[in-house]
Amino acid sequence: MEGYHPIPQPNDLSTREKEDAMGAYLMMFASVAVGLPLPIINLIAAIIYYFTNKSKGLFVHFHSLQSLISQLPTTIINAVGVFWAIRIYLVSEWELTDTFKGYIAMLVVLNLAYFAFSIVGALKARKGRMYYFLFFGRLSYERVFKIRQEREGKDINLPPK
């Protein structure tokens, strides 16, 4: 039977762990400034941050993973919008359809919601609290906190010492 590692309590976490977990959400804002025309830059930054920080404890691992996987659909939707706009510019000479305008409106709303969730996630992480995004929080929790059985003589997903 598989169980779960206990959730770290705020008083058990170092300031560094809280800041690293918060950074998982905040680095997205820095990469937006650099990668605005190329949404894939945000995803690359999230991947690098995740692999750099996932070994710093379960709390940091959870927040880094949640930030990364929540970035995936946002990146795809933004990339579609960018490439669609490029296609309109190159092929249609800026003939904007109602479908494109609706897509851009949906894209703006989605990005604002993602920014809001990221800000709340960053603030909660800085306080040492767990914060679960819809859907992505559950995936991240299962991946990070679930205790796995030994496989081929190796302990999988042991808590940090």
Side-chain angles (χ1 to χ4, degrees):
M1 184 167 163
E2 296 181 2
Y4 292 90
H5 294 289
I7 294 175
Q9 298 303 306
N11 294 335
D12 298 336
L13 297 167
S14 69
T15 301
R16 178 65 186 211
E17 286 176 297
K18 293 174 186 177
E19 289 173 354
D20 287 342
M22 177 182 70
Y25 303 105
L26 295 183
M27 72 79 208
M28 179 266 310
F29 292 103
S31 63
V32 164
V34 173
L36 193 57
L38 300 172
I40 195 77
I41 300 285
N42 294 344
L43 183 59
I44 292 169
I47 290 168
I48 291 169
Y49 195 90
Y50 171 73
F51 282 107
T52 303
N53 292 290
K54 73 177 188 171
S55 62
K56 293 184 177 180
L58 296 176
F59 184 74
V60 177
H61 188 180
F62 168 79
H63 286 287
S64 298
L65 182 60
Q66 180 171 250
S67 176
L68 170 62
I69 62 176
S70 65
Q71 182 69 42
L72 290 170
T74 307
T75 299
I76 291 168
I77 291 169
N78 288 342
V80 168
V82 167
F83 291 118
W84 194 352
I86 290 170
R87 184 179 172 276
I88 288 172
Y89 175 72
L90 295 176
V91 177
S92 304
E93 297 178 4
W94 287 107
E95 291 181 30
L96 303 178
T97 64
D98 288 340
T99 305
F100 178 73
K101 291 175 186 175
Y103 188 85
I104 295 301
M106 185 263 322
L107 185 145
V108 168
V109 169
L110 175 82
N111 278 286
L112 290 174
Y114 179 67
F115 286 171
F117 276 104
S118 293
I119 289 169
V120 172
L123 293 173
K124 295 282 188 179
R126 180 62 178 101
K127 292 178 180 177
R129 302 277 182 202
M130 298 293 286
Y131 181 69
Y132 304 94
F133 289 4
L134 296 173
F135 184 67
F136 305 115
R138 175 76 184 246
L139 289 174
S140 300
Y141 177 79
E142 289 288 328
R143 176 73 179 120
V144 174
F145 285 95
K146 191 168 200 172
I147 298 172
R148 291 169 182 79
Q149 301 299 321
E150 287 188 29
R151 295 186 190 146
E152 299 177 21
K154 295 181 181 177
D155 288 331
I156 308 298
N157 200 18
L158 292 177
K161 294 181 180 179

